[in-house]
Amino acid sequence: MNSRGRLFGALSVAAMTVMVSAPALGGGVPPAPNGIAFPEGYKDWRVIAVSHRTDNNSLRIILGNDAAIEAGRAGQTNPWPDGAVLGKLVFKDTSHEDWPAATVPGRFVHAEFMVKNAKQYAGTGGWGYARWLGQEQTPYGKDPGFAQECYGCHTPVKANDYVFTRPIVLP
Amino acid sequence: MNSRGRLFGALSVAAMTVMVSAPALGGGVPPAPNGIAFPEGYKDWRVIAVSHRTDNNSLRIILGNDAAIEAGRAGQTNPWPDGAVLGKLVFKDTSHEDWPAATVPGRFVHAEFMVKNAKQYAGTGGWGYARWLGQEQTPYGKDPGFAQECYGCHTPVKANDYVFTRPIVLP
């Protein structure tokens, strides 16, 4: 083996080590009970909308992956295209300490996601659902059946492809 | 002139036409009266926070350019570093048609920005201010003095480097 071969061998071992330990190093958030993987990198997604629910005192920031952002800007949201993923970041309300009339994000409650794949998730309206709780990012739900709960809540907006969010319209 | 030459000539004229008319076609949003240029591409910035002002019934999405996002995640926001730009998208409140207890973005009011440069904007706390109104993106203010109005409103949060926004904290 020449030096290039030795280097390559060493790099291969290093690469294997990284691959084996990646789940523990890279966050390693467990998947949802229905198998949906935690969408690493969602914090870098762009914004689609926001909402403030006064029935449970929470502020929500709705983000989208690239496919969702493109669809939202093109108005192609009924149905949303396969591959679109919507993420909702939910925070408990708190008041701004220097501007009490402003409600701002307090405690982080959870991040929840809708993954569009009309065929794969035909049993829940074409969307796969997943949620991770709090700063611990604990997967929500005991078994895959949890998604029926999500689906039930989204059924009132079936006519809008089961999505509550209306993308913001900017100039 | 051969056909290739004619085609090139025609394309050159077309290109010049596009260049000349670009300000009208390609955004071409006029700068603020203090010279701050419209931050093209702000729609692709990442989210820093959100707020709901009940004193003027508006929802706000706060975005940051890359420098602001990095600073926010690193907790380096007092002071924010030169180069950080914060953008605030303001919408009038409306109720979600299928979930009335949810307040969601209605009419787009304006996009406003804070540009950090401690030396350049020393007269207004180290931040340059700019705002563009509505879907028309009309620059706000009659002359550069408009920024004193912004500065005045931000003075109560001088201890937080004149910034109301507290970046969201995600796991």
Side-chain angles (χ1 to χ4, degrees):
Chain A
M1 191 182 276
N2 60 21
S3 64
R4 184 170 293 184
R6 279 196 297 276
L7 177 61
F8 183 75
L11 287 174
S12 297
V13 170
M16 285 173 64
T17 306
V18 168
M19 284 174 66
V20 168
S21 54
L25 285 174
V29 180
N34 55 358
I36 292 181
F38 182 74
E40 301 284 354
Y42 77 90
K43 282 186 276 193
D44 291 326
W45 291 0
R46 289 168 286 172
V47 68
I48 285 190
V50 62
S51 69
H52 183 201
R53 273 183 61 179
T54 56
D55 52 339
N56 68 3
N57 304 315
S58 63
L59 278 167
R60 286 114 189 286
I61 301 171
I62 299 96
L63 306 176
N65 68 351
D66 288 348
I69 292 289
E70 283 175 31
R73 292 181 182 177
Q76 293 167 351
T77 60
N78 201 0
W80 291 75
D82 279 5
V85 184
L86 302 173
K88 189 174 272 180
L89 314 180
V90 180
F91 301 84
K92 290 305 285 184
D93 286 358
T94 191
S95 290
H96 194 295
E97 57 184 280
D98 297 308
W99 197 283
T103 301
V104 294
R107 180 175 63 82
F108 175 62
V109 180
H110 60 237
E112 53 191 16
F113 298 87
M114 294 176 71
V115 180
K116 184 67 189 275
N117 187 315
K119 191 173 289 183
Q120 185 176 359
Y121 302 115
T124 46
W127 292 94
Y129 292 90
R131 174 189 282 172
W132 286 267
L133 306 177
Q135 294 289 340
E136 305 78 18
Q137 301 181 300
T138 309
Y140 178 81
K142 277 187 291 192
D143 57 54
F146 83 91
Q148 290 299 327
E149 180 192 341
C150 313
Y151 180 48
C153 278
H154 281 258
T155 297
V157 285
K158 179 179 179 180
N160 196 45
D161 196 22
Y162 297 94
V163 174
F164 284 99
T165 300
R166 266 71 165 174
I168 53 174
V169 177
L170 293 169
Chain B
M1 191 181 278
N2 60 21
S3 65
R4 183 170 292 185
R6 279 195 297 276
L7 177 60
F8 183 73
L11 286 173
S12 297
V13 169
M16 286 174 64
T17 306
V18 167
M19 285 175 66
V20 168
S21 56
L25 286 173
V29 179
N34 55 359
I36 292 180
F38 182 73
E40 300 285 354
Y42 77 89
K43 282 186 274 192
D44 291 326
W45 291 0
R46 290 167 285 172
V47 69
I48 285 190
V50 62
S51 69
H52 183 200
R53 273 182 63 180
T54 56
D55 52 340
N56 67 3
N57 305 315
S58 63
L59 278 167
R60 285 115 190 286
I61 301 172
I62 299 96
L63 306 177
N65 69 351
D66 289 347
I69 291 290
E70 283 175 31
R73 292 181 181 176
Q76 294 168 351
T77 61
N78 202 358
W80 291 75
D82 279 5
V85 184
L86 302 173
K88 189 174 275 180
L89 315 181
V90 179
F91 300 84
K92 290 306 283 184
D93 286 358
T94 191
S95 291
H96 194 295
E97 59 185 279
D98 297 307
W99 196 284
T103 301
V104 294
R107 180 175 62 82
F108 176 61
V109 180
H110 61 237
E112 53 192 17
F113 299 87
M114 294 176 71
V115 180
K116 184 68 189 272
N117 186 315
K119 191 172 291 185
Q120 185 175 359
Y121 302 114
T124 47
W127 291 93
Y129 291 90
R131 175 189 282 171
W132 286 267
L133 307 177
Q135 295 288 342
E136 305 77 18
Q137 302 181 302
T138 309
Y140 178 80
K142 277 186 291 190
D143 57 54
F146 83 92
Q148 290 299 326
E149 180 192 340
C150 313
Y151 180 48
C153 278
H154 281 258
T155 296
V157 285
K158 179 178 178 178
N160 195 44
D161 195 22
Y162 298 93
V163 174
F164 283 99
T165 300
R166 267 69 165 175
I168 54 173
V169 178
L170 293 169

